């Protein structure tokens, strides 16, 4: 008989990319969320418990990389992210790297080094959908922004919730894919303030929080506003795209490989620039930008 317990599986290296923390629910329908760390542990878990359902909180490979271990299970994800889990090419299109000269090299690493395999999503999820596992009911909370189909998963009876990549880390929200969206991210954080939970799990970093996390959610959202301020200040003088990337306003310092740093730094900054331009706070001329 299943215990009905929820187990938090701490990711290697504190759940840092390319790992993430995962969840196992020992229930009549044994379920795993975001299997992307501790390969041996996860494969033993499947052998002993015959996992029937694997939920991916979104399409990022640091959340799906060990899907392949769960043969026979049904894979579930939000409808909007499902295509990017089923196909690496779609994944790259969502990310915005499909047209990049380094796309093939990325794909090779994902397939050969990470041993990632595409899986078919047998069950697409919608906001507020409930899944009964036996002793536990899961409730899907659609929280777009990081990706369009990003979800949090509430464990209704346990008054707990898995926040996935709304990870409350000091780095703050990440929206470095073509399909990511800052305003949706802020709305999703706001929505979480109204969730009543006693235990909060995240995919990266410390991973478990208890009690009232309103202050943590506010601090996390404030990173976005702080980035807005930093960008506006740097653009008090007209700057080019490459000067902006060189300043590493988001990451703080450059990392390797440089073409990937440049891509993700610009993807993040340019989303702020578009938003600030809409607010009438920045003006652009070609690849030159200045705050007003
Ligand atoms: Zn992610």
């Amino acid at each position: 008989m299943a215990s009905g317990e929820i187990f938090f599986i701490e990711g290697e290296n504190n759940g840092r990319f390319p790992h993430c923390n995962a969840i196992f629910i020992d229930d009549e329908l044994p379920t795993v969320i975001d299997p992307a760390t501790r390969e041996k542990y996860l494969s033993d878990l499947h052998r002993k418990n015959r996992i029937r359902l694997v939920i991916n909180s979104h399409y990022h490979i640091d959340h799906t990389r060990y899907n392949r271990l769960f043969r026979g299970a049904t894979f579930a994800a939000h409808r909007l992210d499902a295509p990017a889990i089923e196909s690496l090419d779609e994944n790259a299109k969502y990310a915005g790297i499909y047209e990049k000269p380094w796309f093939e090299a990325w794909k090779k690493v994902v397939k050969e080094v990470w041993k990632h395999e595409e899986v078919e999503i047998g069950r697409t999820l919608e906001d507020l959908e409930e899944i009964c596992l036996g002793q536990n009911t899961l409730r899907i909370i659609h929280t777009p922004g990081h990706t369009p189909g990003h979800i949090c998963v509430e464990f209704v009876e346990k008054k707990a919730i898995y926040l996935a990549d709304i990870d409350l880390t000091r780095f703050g929200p990440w929206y470095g894919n073509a399909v990511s969206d800052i305003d949706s991210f802020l709305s999703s954080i706001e929505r979480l303030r109204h969730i009543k939970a006693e235990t909060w799990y995240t995919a990266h970093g410390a991973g478990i929080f208890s009690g009232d996390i309103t202050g943590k959610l506010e601090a996390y959202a404030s990173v976005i506003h702080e980035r807005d301020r930093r960008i506006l200040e740097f653009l008090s003088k007209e700057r080019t795209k490459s000067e902006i990337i060189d300043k590493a306003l988001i990451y703080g310092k450059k990392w390797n490989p440089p073409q990937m740093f440049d891509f993700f730094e610009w993807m993040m900054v340019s989303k702020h620039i578009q938003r600030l331009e809409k607010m009438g706070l920045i003006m652009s001329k070609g690849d030159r930008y200045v705050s007003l």
Side-chain angles (χ1 to χ4, degrees):
M1 166 98 180
S3 69
E5 266 188 79
I6 292 168
F7 294 91
F8 173 79
I9 304 167
E10 191 187 330
E12 283 173 59
N13 194 21
N14 214 9
R16 281 202 188 90
F17 181 90
H19 299 279
C20 83
N21 303 318
I23 303 280
F24 164 53
I25 306 129
D26 181 21
D27 213 322
E28 269 74 68
L29 194 78
T31 299
V32 164
I33 307 176
D34 284 356
T37 193
R38 301 189 190 279
E39 181 175 6
K40 165 108 178 44
Y41 182 92
L42 292 175
S43 101
D44 288 348
L45 191 72
H46 188 38
R47 192 165 38 75
K48 288 184 203 145
N49 298 279
R50 287 273 137 233
I51 301 299
R52 304 257 311 275
L53 179 66
V54 175
I55 298 176
N56 291 138
S57 62
H58 60 295
Y59 66 79
H60 286 156
I61 289 158
D62 61 324
H63 295 252
T64 64
R65 64 186 291 197
Y66 294 135
N67 277 352
R68 66 177 161 81
L69 299 174
F70 296 90
R71 305 250 176 248
T74 297
F75 294 91
H78 190 276
R79 175 178 51 86
L80 294 174
D81 274 22
I85 298 172
E86 294 183 321
S87 148
L88 268 184
D89 286 354
E90 280 304 311
N91 194 301
K93 286 177 194 166
Y94 275 48
I97 63 177
Y98 188 66
E99 307 294 338
K100 298 285 162 196
W102 40 273
F103 162 62
E104 286 300 336
W106 171 84
K107 195 169 169 182
K108 197 171 149 74
V109 168
V110 170
K111 286 173 106 157
E112 291 175 16
V113 180
W114 292 32
K115 299 189 170 47
H116 179 273
E117 288 175 22
E118 294 146 334
V119 298
E120 190 186 326
I121 296 298
R123 180 167 182 175
T124 50
L125 304 171
E126 295 289 344
D127 189 34
L128 296 178
E129 183 171 341
E130 295 194 350
I131 307 172
C132 182
L133 304 184
Q135 302 172 56
N136 292 280
T137 311
L138 307 186
R139 187 187 289 136
I140 304 305
I141 308 293
H142 182 211
T143 44
H146 181 70
T147 69
H150 183 277
I151 53 168
C152 299
V153 182
E154 251 190 297
F155 308 101
V156 178
E157 292 81 1
K158 303 283 194 305
K159 295 188 172 57
I161 183 167
Y162 173 64
L163 301 177
D165 270 2
I166 302 181
D167 61 14
L168 307 178
T169 54
R170 284 207 356 237
F171 176 81
W174 190 93
Y175 29 83
N177 279 171
V179 294
S180 308
D181 184 77
I182 294 180
D183 292 330
S184 307
F185 210 135
L186 283 167
S187 306
S188 293
I189 297 170
E190 179 58 29
R191 186 176 182 192
L192 292 175
R193 285 160 53 103
H194 304 286
I195 298 272
K196 300 269 175 273
E198 290 165 6
T199 308
W200 311 73
Y201 303 105
T202 63
H204 302 286
I208 307 181
F209 301 90
S210 357
D212 181 4
I213 62 156
T214 311
K216 287 196 165 53
L217 287 168
E218 277 168 10
Y220 189 67
S222 75
V223 174
I224 291 179
H225 304 300
E226 178 50 39
R227 288 170 182 161
D228 275 342
R229 275 194 292 277
R230 226 181 295 147
I231 290 163
L232 282 173
E233 193 187 316
F234 185 62
L235 297 185
S236 59
K237 208 178 120 194
E238 188 176 279
R239 312 277 187 179
T240 63
K241 173 179 169 181
S242 64
E243 284 170 337
I244 298 169
I245 294 172
D246 273 353
K247 188 74 179 167
L249 290 161
I250 300 292
Y251 283 101
K253 61 174 186 207
K254 295 188 170 196
W255 43 264
N256 286 317
Q259 68 272 27
M260 286 187 81
F261 166 81
D262 288 1
F263 173 80
F264 287 113
E265 175 73 16
W266 179 248
M267 192 60 96
M268 297 276 287
V269 174
S270 63
K271 285 181 198 285
H272 282 272
I273 290 179
Q274 285 160 21
R275 164 183 147 84
L276 294 166
E277 209 169 357
K278 254 192 251 162
M279 292 176 188
L281 298 172
I282 282 181
M283 198 172 73
S284 62
K285 293 178 259 172
D287 82 332
R288 306 182 82 83
Y289 304 85
V290 66
S291 51
L292 297 168

